[in-house]
Structure formats: C-alpha cells, structure tokens
Amino acid sequence: MADLKIHAERLRELHGEEMLVLPNVWDAAGATIVAEAGFPAVATSSAAIAAMLGHPDGEGAPWQEMFAAAGRVARAVSVPVTVDAEAGYGMRPRELVDRLLDIGVVGCNLEDTDHRAGGLVEAGAQAEWLAGVRSAADDAGVPIVINARVDTFLPVSGIPEPDRVAETVRRGRLYRDAGADCVYPIGVRHQRDLATLVAEIPGPLNGNTGEYLDLAALRELGVARVSYGPRFFREAMADLRTTVQKLSA
C-alpha cells in the first residue's frame, strides 16, 4: 500500500509538470515497451483491452476480465499505471477503489456515458459518484488520480453541437469540485473549443491529438495530459491484417 501511495502521488505530480503523454496499451508486452521508452507512467485503453478479449467497447466485457488484464499491465512495469475503468461497471465507489488497488493501479478514467440507459449520466449524479470515489480513495490512504471523462462531444451524448462547449465546462467544473484530478473532454477536434475549455475549467485537462491538433498545439494550448485511446491497437491490428493478407496472396 505504501508503494501504491507513492505511485499515486507521483502520477498526480506528473499532471503539473511537462505535458504528460500516455501511449495507451492493452497488455503487459505493450506496457513494457512504453516504460522502456522512458514514459513516466502507463495508461490502458478499455476499447483495446475489450477487443483483445473478444468483446465490444462500452462495458461490453466482464469487469473481471478487464481488471485481470489491467493487473497484468501493472505487474509488468515499475511506473505508475492508470486504467480506463469506463463508467465504473456499476460498482459502488468503495468497491471500485478496492478493486483498483487490488490490481496495483493508481489512476482511472471514469466516463459519464450511461451505457445502460443511453446518453449521459445526469451531471449532478455523476459528480456525486465521483465524490464518493474520491472519498473512498482517501479512506484507503491512496490518492488515486481520477481522470473524469466528459463525453459531451461524442454523438452518443445527444447534445447539440452549439451547446457542447458550455455543457462541457459545466460538467468539468462540477467534476473538479467533486474531487477529480483531471478533466477529459474526449472528442474535441478544434483548437478554439479546446482553448475555451482549458481557460474555463480549473485544473489539468486531458486532450487528444487529431486532424487539427498535434502535440505541439496541445502543449501551446496548455493541455496537461495527452492520451491515445485504442489508436495504437487499431494500427497494430491493421498492420497485422496487411501482413497476413500478403502471406495468403
């Protein structure tokens, strides 16, 4: 538990130093590659792990299998590990925290998509749940780093495009007040939108590279953390498909 506390504190510190870049992995071999390349922390991708296990993304895989895979990642490296815990798999805060610590991870993404009812979880309810996770982590003595994902820019949210920035700011502030360490507005494509979010949401922000945003642009905008989701998994599978098809030609 003492080592986990040290790792959690280090992961939190990394959000206030040089921009934290996290190439997301899905297995122990990938985690080892990332750590050996000198990255100070390792992150998982739930979509990649679910696909590797033969399940759809969006809590389509049993949480036991997802956590077992994440645990193998954590055991493979000596740096802090943060996992994509999707929407928490219906767990109560203390259960989620206990299970995260059991597998040796010190950070988690928690998204506000409602995988059962559709759309997004009501913002106040999500903030209350995040506050419960924060409290449970404090009680456990390990300051788990909570990356609160805001899914307002995803089509599943049902939020009209003109309203997305304002709703993201509203949710981001609520989640920060609830104890989230970082806010992750996934799916933001344009610099003007991300610049507004960085300015209006207090604390660290997680961004993604894309068509209009490279690492230099994200750094200039003041983004604290960059993640890649299942991108490298999909690229690896595409390369495998191309190679295999050449063999069979």
Side-chain angles (χ1 to χ4, degrees):
M1 195 65 75
D3 288 342
L4 290 176
K5 182 178 180 181
I6 292 171
H7 272 183
E9 290 171 344
R10 179 56 185 147
L11 182 59
R12 178 174 284 116
E13 289 171 356
L14 289 169
H15 287 73
E17 299 178 0
E18 192 70 20
M19 187 171 70
L20 176 60
V21 178
L22 296 169
N24 300 74
V25 304
W26 55 93
D27 61 13
T32 301
I33 289 171
V34 169
E36 288 180 346
F39 289 89
V42 168
T44 69
S45 161
S46 64
I49 291 177
M52 177 190 70
L53 295 171
H55 298 281
D57 189 23
E59 299 197 346
W63 68 262
Q64 295 91 337
E65 294 187 40
M66 297 293 287
F67 275 54
R72 289 191 289 273
V73 167
R75 291 192 295 274
V77 296
S78 60
V79 297
V81 173
T82 178
V83 302
D84 186 345
E86 302 190 80
Y89 306 101
M91 296 182 189
R92 297 180 66 84
R94 185 55 193 256
E95 179 186 6
L96 176 64
V97 167
D98 286 346
R99 294 193 183 282
L100 290 172
L101 296 178
D102 283 345
I103 61 172
V105 306
V106 295
C108 60
N109 282 13
L110 294 171
E111 63 203 37
D112 57 8
T113 289
D114 190 329
H115 295 291
R116 291 158 183 81
L120 302 184
V121 177
E122 192 275 321
Q126 180 71 359
E128 184 177 352
W129 188 74
L130 291 172
V133 175
R134 174 83 282 141
S135 178
D138 291 343
D139 288 345
V142 178
I144 287 175
V145 175
I146 300 171
N147 191 32
R149 205 179 89 177
V150 185
D151 291 356
T152 43
F153 278 79
L154 300 183
V156 69
S157 73
I159 296 174
E161 187 170 349
D163 301 331
R164 289 175 180 172
V165 170
E167 179 62 10
T168 302
V169 169
R170 186 178 78 90
R171 286 176 176 261
R173 289 175 174 175
L174 283 172
Y175 300 166
R176 280 285 291 165
D177 288 344
D181 299 281
C182 185
V183 173
Y184 179 14
I186 191 172
V188 180
R189 299 176 60 238
H190 297 289
Q191 290 196 26
R192 63 180 182 274
D193 293 336
L194 193 55
T196 299
L197 298 177
V198 170
E200 297 294 330
I201 299 173
L205 211 72
N206 190 145
N208 303 117
T209 59
E211 182 181 3
Y212 306 108
L213 292 164
D214 58 15
L215 283 177
L218 293 174
R219 185 176 288 108
E220 185 176 349
L221 287 169
V223 167
R225 166 175 170 161
V226 181
S227 52
Y228 292 83
R231 190 178 310 179
F232 299 128
F233 173 78
R234 289 170 179 165
E235 290 176 359
M237 293 301 102
D239 183 62
L240 176 61
R241 179 178 293 106
T242 299
T243 302
V244 170
Q245 287 174 345
K246 287 180 180 177
L247 290 174
S248 65

